[in-house]
Amino acid sequence: MTRVASLYLPQLAIERLRRLERPARPLEHVPAAPRFARPVDDDPGACSVPRGGAWRPGARWARDGALGHKPHQSDIDALPAHQRPSMREMGRRSEAAEHPFKAMARGEGSGGSAPAISWGRLWGRPTVLIARSGQRDIVTSACPVALDLGLRPGMAAAHARALVTELEVRDAEPDADRAWLDRLALHAVGHWTPTASVCDPDGLWLDLTGTTHLFGGEQRFCHRLLRFLQRRGFTASIAVAGTAGAAYALARHGGAPITLLPPGEETQALADLPLAALRLEPEALHAAARFGLERIADLYSMPRAPLARRLGITTVQRLDQARGMAAEPIIPVVTFEAPRVERRLLEPIGTAEAIIQVIGDLVDDLVIALQQRGLGLRTAHLACLIVDGSEQRIAIGTARATRDSLHLKRMLAMRVERIDPGLGIEAMTLAAPRVETLAAQTIEAGLGQDDRPRDIATLVDQLSGRIEPDRPFRLSSHESDVPERAVRRVAPLAKPLGWPDWKRPVRMLRRPELLVHVVALMPDHPPRRFTWRGKSYRVIAGDGPERIHGEWWRNEDEMWAVRDYFRVEAAGGERFWLFRRGDGVDAQTGNLSWFMHGMFG
């Protein structure tokens, strides 16, 4: 069952202007401006008491608007004893009281002359916003004072000035209004529903299918949404219906702040609404007025062909969409749109040379798109659409964000052999799902003494293209006494940490390997003979032991574990790094078995 909500902000432009035009407070009372713009937040804070006092919403008998007004003590005393709220609930009441420091901020009682915080500077005179339409200025929004004087959106600005002499006229900012709606839609995607869309010029569409149970139902969600917008300084109404068209019409012409329409009742609910609720074009509305059509119900009994001929085919489509007889998908906003370019070919191609040529054109187009957005590519996906409808995909990754077209072309050309063109490729798409910010960098003059390390990012990308992408790596030290834990892999461009001062072999085995037939003098001497991988070795020199204790905080088995490491040289010139488990005295430290752990170069 589809449930769509339409959010309507009737005074979006004028109320957004009011938020920006707050009177300036004295400098000592103005907090420091944040470095970045604060995101939209629907959390009223840790305290559950609404701003301005009144009753705490957590009280059981004051929840969900059960009380139409704030109860007085006399009303409570008039109730029977068994109906009076408990002392616990009485203790959760919070009376509205003046903040003790507000008088100081206004300068009351101290002789100060700080200006009072009010909307007089903006709403002292009727205010309207105008926009240019053809050869005249049209009123797009009006403040409450102007609405009371008879000014309405759509009126000519000259007519409004003639009706109200002291009228304050300001230019409308539709781009700023749309930017705020885009920001609100992104907030809705992150907090309320995964599908949200801007409904120009003053609302949102929210697909609430399967989401309202997370907020306690549709009624609670609508109350929460309206309270959130009220805290931001906006007036709104919301309607939830089975179709987007019905929700749009009820939110703007229903007359109630919250409208919840049960499924299947769209036709009856829309019957008494005006034709403007169907989002018709002005020409269709003028034509309907000439024929005497005023309500949506007037269209129900009309045949489709005459209706489409007189009011246009769009009117029929809007009517069917609102009643649920035709689909009207909501195109959701996307938090981030990955750069993407496409080429459709006049004729299918199948040779490697033709594919490489098209790849070059795609890379050039993608680099331009990345430059315009200040991004660098980290991952690229190439999709080739075959004539038979199948797809061939290849992907590349870079060690560092880049926009080097030659480098990207070279890497993609190395993967062309993995593409099976089949009957021919008719379209190719190149997308960059993973990108990073790439800005200009200052290059310092070396003056003949350039000690900067060479950039190996290109080399790493070339190696990754020829072998597995995760094969190139660097080794870096890690804080641990156990040798196999003291070294770990890092990214090929990562800066390795410092190495310890004690000697370690150039090559270490992934796991220590057991030695057999070991002859050694206990407890502090290196072995004289041992067999490793089926070959016997005779030791002619040795150094050690270097004692390493286990990390008891990681594993109980390492509480008393001890390793004695020796550096030995065999008769054939090989040098090994091996160890014995246990100290040769206490059996709890190890079983005295010998292991090979590494080789010196």
Side-chain angles (χ1 to χ4, degrees):
M1 181 179 62
T2 303
R3 299 296 286 171
V4 180
S6 178
L7 180 65
Y8 175 45
L9 300 157
Q11 297 289 336
L12 171 63
I14 200 73
E15 288 177 343
R16 186 189 62 81
L17 179 63
R18 182 176 65 175
R19 295 176 67 247
L20 299 176
E21 297 273 343
R22 293 181 184 271
R25 289 182 289 177
L27 183 60
E28 59 272 12
H29 298 294
V30 177
R35 183 177 179 183
F36 301 102
R38 297 180 180 178
V40 178
D41 189 11
D42 59 351
D43 185 6
C47 180
S48 60
V49 178
R51 298 176 182 175
W55 292 86
R56 177 171 176 161
R60 175 172 50 82
W61 57 294
R63 191 180 301 165
D64 297 336
L67 297 177
H69 62 279
K70 182 175 129 179
H72 299 283
Q73 186 63 34
S74 59
D75 299 333
I76 298 175
D77 295 338
L79 295 174
H82 66 280
Q83 293 184 359
R84 295 179 184 176
S86 62
M87 293 302 296
R88 177 176 178 272
E89 293 173 345
M90 290 288 290
R92 296 177 69 180
R93 189 177 58 163
S94 176
E95 299 291 347
E98 186 73 12
H99 196 279
F101 293 100
K102 280 187 177 180
M104 296 177 60
R106 293 193 298 262
E108 298 177 0
S110 60
S113 60
I117 299 177
S118 66
W119 298 109
R121 186 164 68 90
L122 184 61
W123 304 126
R125 295 191 303 169
T127 306
V128 297
L129 304 181
I130 64 172
R132 193 72 176 176
S133 177
Q135 299 297 324
R136 61 175 185 168
D137 294 331
I138 301 298
V139 176
T140 60
S141 184
C143 72
V145 178
L147 293 175
D148 294 339
L149 295 176
L151 304 185
R152 293 292 182 269
M155 180 183 296
H159 188 196
R161 288 190 177 97
L163 293 178
V164 180
T165 56
E166 297 182 356
L167 182 64
E168 184 173 354
V169 179
R170 302 195 178 192
D171 293 332
E173 299 177 352
D175 294 338
D177 298 338
R178 176 58 189 256
W180 195 89
L181 285 177
D182 291 339
R183 185 180 173 209
L184 182 62
L186 292 177
H187 177 81
V189 171
H191 293 78
W192 303 328
T193 174
T195 305
S197 176
V198 175
C199 179
D200 287 331
D202 50 11
L204 292 182
W205 267 317
L206 306 175
D207 189 352
L208 302 182
T209 305
T211 61
T212 52
H213 70 281
L214 302 174
F215 306 96
E218 294 179 353
Q219 184 75 22
R220 286 181 176 270
F221 172 77
C222 294
H223 279 292
R224 176 178 178 177
L225 180 56
L226 294 185
R227 287 196 301 267
F228 162 70
L229 293 172
Q230 184 180 7
R231 290 194 302 271
R232 304 295 297 180
F234 290 91
T235 304
S237 61
I238 184 172
V240 182
T243 63
Y248 178 95
L250 294 173
R252 286 156 175 78
H253 302 275
I258 297 177
T259 304
L260 301 179
L261 184 64
E265 298 185 5
E266 288 79 12
T267 301
Q268 182 178 358
L270 298 175
D272 295 332
L273 299 183
L275 290 180
L278 290 179
R279 296 169 289 162
L280 302 182
E281 298 294 334
E283 296 79 6
L285 293 177
H286 294 322
R290 290 198 305 267
F291 290 110
L293 303 175
E294 298 179 354
R295 302 183 307 158
I296 298 180
D298 298 337
L299 307 180
Y300 290 167
S301 59
M302 296 185 61
R304 294 301 181 91
L307 179 61
R309 185 169 59 254
R310 290 176 173 84
L311 303 184
I313 189 62
T314 306
T315 303
V316 179
Q317 294 175 353
R318 293 298 188 191
L319 182 61
D320 292 342
Q321 290 173 351
R323 300 170 64 184
M325 301 172 63
E328 184 179 5
I330 297 177
I331 301 177
V333 296
V334 182
T335 56
F336 174 77
E337 185 177 357
R340 181 176 179 273
V341 293
E342 182 180 9
R343 286 293 177 94
R344 293 193 171 273
L345 308 176
L346 296 177
E347 296 181 358
I349 60 175
T351 62
E353 293 77 8
I355 296 175
I356 293 176
Q357 181 179 357
V358 177
I359 289 177
D361 297 337
L362 290 174
V363 170
D364 293 336
D365 296 342
L366 184 62
V367 168
I368 295 176
L370 293 173
Q371 288 177 346
Q372 294 175 351
R373 301 172 62 173
L375 301 175
L377 182 144
R378 286 298 307 274
T379 302
H381 291 174
L382 178 65
C384 302
L385 180 62
I386 312 301
V387 174
D388 58 3
S390 61
E391 275 191 352
Q392 293 285 323
R393 292 178 175 270
I394 59 174
I396 61 171
T398 60
R400 181 180 297 166
T402 180
R403 292 196 296 262
D404 188 354
S405 59
L406 294 178
H407 179 53
L408 296 177
K409 293 176 184 178
R410 189 182 306 112
M411 292 185 62
L412 288 170
M414 295 170 57
R415 302 291 182 93
V416 169
E417 59 184 12
R418 304 184 182 183
I419 299 176
D420 182 10
L423 300 176
I425 300 174
E426 61 180 0
M428 298 177 66
T429 303
L430 182 62
R434 183 186 175 189
V435 293
E436 293 180 0
T437 302
L438 183 60
Q441 297 180 354
T442 303
I443 301 178
E444 300 178 357
L447 299 179
Q449 297 179 355
D450 192 358
D451 297 332
R452 291 175 299 176
R454 301 178 66 88
D455 187 10
I456 62 172
T458 304
L459 174 62
V460 171
D461 293 340
Q462 294 289 337
L463 294 176
S464 300
R466 296 181 181 276
I467 58 179
E468 295 299 328
D470 57 344
R471 289 297 183 183
F473 63 89
R474 272 182 173 176
L475 295 178
S476 177
S477 63
H478 182 66
E479 188 175 356
S480 178
D481 291 333
V482 181
E484 59 265 26
R485 299 173 186 163
V487 179
R488 61 177 48 184
R489 292 185 178 186
V490 295
L493 299 184
K495 184 178 180 180
L497 302 177
W499 296 98
D501 296 334
W502 49 80
K503 295 182 180 181
R504 290 290 182 265
V506 176
R507 179 189 175 192
M508 291 183 61
L509 301 177
R510 183 182 296 271
R511 295 178 180 273
E513 298 182 7
L514 181 65
L515 302 180
V516 296
H517 304 148
V518 181
V519 177
L521 182 63
M522 299 292 288
D524 297 331
H525 292 273
R528 305 300 299 174
R529 292 180 180 273
F530 63 88
T531 301
W532 177 50
R533 294 181 178 178
K535 182 179 180 181
S536 298
Y537 294 90
R538 183 172 63 88
V539 177
I540 60 176
D543 185 18
E546 176 187 351
R547 180 157 296 177
I548 296 178
H549 294 268
E551 297 177 344
W552 52 267
W553 57 90
R554 294 173 58 98
N555 192 349
E556 294 181 358
D557 297 338
E558 300 184 24
M559 177 69 70
W560 306 105
V562 171
R563 292 182 183 179
D564 284 342
Y565 278 86
F566 296 89
R567 288 178 287 133
V568 300
E569 182 178 353
E574 302 94 339
R575 293 187 298 166
F576 303 104
W577 198 46
L578 44 84
F579 69 89
R580 181 191 65 225
R581 282 183 174 175
D583 56 6
V585 178
D586 191 354
Q588 192 175 6
T589 60
N591 57 2
L592 304 183
S593 56
W594 290 83
F595 292 85
M596 177 69 67
H597 206 165
M599 290 75 70
F600 292 92

